[in-house]
Amino acid sequence: MTIEEFTAVISTAARVELDDPQTSFTAQGLDSLGLLNVLVAVEDSYSIEIDPASFADGLPRTPAEMHAYAESVVTTHAE
């Protein structure tokens, strides 16, 4: 999935227009419920599970970081 497709999917799930994949979720208007919706959308799109504690640790903070994380999890599971 491209970063553009990914951003569109999570924008729809979070009900917030995420214009810049490099800008933090919070700077683009996402609250904790929006972030939870993003997690669910990413899990559904990639058929993976994401530990919500990863947000508590400060990562991933941006759509680009979330995309890279999801892609790496998929790649790791494929091996």
Side-chain angles (χ1 to χ4, degrees), residues 7 10-11 15-31 61-64:
T7 302
I10 63 174
S11 289
R15 296 181 185 104
V16 171
E17 186 60 39
L18 301 171
D19 297 322
D20 182 2
Q22 302 300 329
T23 300
S24 73
F25 288 114
T26 54
Q28 294 189 72
L30 254 62
D31 59 11
R61 291 179 294 254
T62 67

Side-chain angles (χ1 to χ4, degrees), residues 46 66 78:
Y46 282 88
M66 178 62 85

Side-chain angles (χ1 to χ4, degrees), residues 1 6 9-10 39-48 74:
M1 179 180 301
F6 179 83
V9 166
I10 63 174
L39 280 177
V40 171
V42 172
E43 288 177 333
D44 290 347
S45 296
Y46 282 88
S47 299
I48 61 173
V74 169

